[in-house]
Amino acid sequence: MFEEPEWAEAAPVAAGLRPVTSRPLPAAASQNNGSKCRQLLATLRILEAASLSQNPPSLPSSDSEEEEVERKKKCPKKASFASASAEVGKKRKKKCQKQGPPCSYSEEEVERKKTCRKQALLGSNSAEEEKRKRKCQKHAPLNPAQHLDDVDQTGPKAWKNSATNDLPKPSPESTSPKPPHTLSRKQWRNRQKNKRRHKNKFRSPEVPDQALAEAPTEKTEMPPVPRTESHEARAGALRARMAQRLDGARFRYLNEQLYSGPSSAAQRLFQEDPEAFLLYHRGFQSQVKKWPLQPVDRIAKDLRQRPASLVVADFGCGDCRLASSIRNPVHCFDLASLDPRVTVCDMAQVPLEDESVDVAVFCLSLMGTNIRDFLEEANRVLKPGGLLKVAEVSSRFEDVRTFLRAVTKLGFKVVSKDLTNSHFFLFDFQKTGPPQVGPKAQLSGLKLQPCLYKRR
């Protein structure tokens, strides 16, 4: 009988099948065959491991094959670093050929690109990848191969996506660096102005002196204006403004006292404080200057058309402007004196004889609560047929007709009236005789509204 060869028993074992023995062997032969089988099995396992590393075996209808297929589906095959780098190198060569002549890289750039590729293939965090990309882009040269560097840094997946899109052709404009945001001419001018303002705002006070020292000798001869003068000027302007406000407040107070009390009380007020009348007159003139036409000028114009021999009595003359404007002899009366021609007295009791004047004038002077006393005094000093001229602020009259009726009861008749002016009314009366009513009779038309000035 012949013995079976060794490969006959080892082949089914290598194929993963159970060996079928037809008959038993003797003890010595079985021991030798067992050691040989073990050696063959060891060699077959080594060969299987080597073959699996290169090409895995594909044996149908086996349990091990099904397990390997499932494992491959769950864990896809990853390309090794060598194969990926080879594919990237081929694609880069193809694109360089399409774009133009091959690009020359220095050794440092090649090493830097290799490190970037390694880090991208290792798959680190997205934040770290972005930082590395920015660093690589900063150090990259400005040439057509810049697009290739960006693609190499993103890995093989980005190569697949970018390969489908056509890269733009290199142009001279693309090589020149462009600013991220260009400013228009107007924006650039505004920015320069803001810079200059910022510098001037925080400039030390010694800067003008330094500028003058650097200037030519002709300019240095001019002494710089000291800053103390500007402070003094500001302080003086502030004091003047505050004094003006104080004077305005005092004028309003005095004006209210003159309209709310009798003339005797006003006379005592100005006798106790002589400066008060000067202050009041100054405030009054500042208010009247704003009017388009002053009533005293209108009265003076009318009197210049009459004979110069007429004697005039000016009740409430102020600064004697009427006496200075006409040639007639004028008696000036007021509560205080601003001119040597003024006679200080109460206008309800003037130092004149009866029927001694031809014209009596009340120009914005029917003040106080005793207006009736003023008009009766004018009737006393006027000659028969004498002229009474009244100019008063238009806002004081509630009803002009009642005022005219009240005046006629005091021995006058209306000659003319002018209500066209927006600031004041003008009336001309002629004396007809003594008052027609007794001293106790009430005349409601003579109660005029006070002329009060508001704070501004």
Side-chain angles (χ1 to χ4, degrees), residues 26-78:
S30 64
Q31 289 180 0
N32 293 329
N33 291 334
S35 61
K36 291 179 179 180
C37 287
R38 284 193 293 272
Q39 291 176 0
L40 287 171
L41 287 172
T43 55
L44 286 172
R45 288 173 182 169
I46 292 169
L47 291 172
E48 284 178 358
S51 63
L52 285 173
S53 62
Q54 295 179 357
N55 293 319
S58 59
L59 295 177
S61 65
S62 63
D63 298 337
S64 61
E65 184 180 5
E66 293 177 357
E67 291 177 358
E68 289 178 0
V69 170
E70 290 178 359
R71 182 173 56 80
K72 289 175 185 178
K73 289 180 180 179
K74 292 180 181 179
C75 301
K77 178 176 66 176
K78 295 183 180 179

Side-chain angles (χ1 to χ4, degrees), residues 277-319:
F277 184 77
L278 179 62
L279 177 63
Y280 172 79
H281 182 71
R282 194 189 305 125
F284 176 77
Q285 291 297 326
S286 65
Q287 294 293 330
V288 175
K289 282 181 181 178
K290 300 176 184 177
W291 294 4
L293 177 64
Q294 294 192 21
V296 66
D297 296 336
R298 178 72 179 274
I299 294 172
K301 182 180 179 181
D302 187 15
L303 290 176
R304 280 195 294 266
Q305 297 175 0
R306 298 177 182 272
S309 59
L310 297 178
V311 180
V312 180
D314 189 2
F315 292 79
C317 62
D319 56 354

Side-chain angles (χ1 to χ4, degrees), residues 95 98-99 161-169:
K95 290 193 175 180
K98 288 180 182 180
Q99 292 180 358
N161 296 331
S162 62
T164 57
N165 301 326
D166 295 333
L167 291 173
K169 294 182 180 181

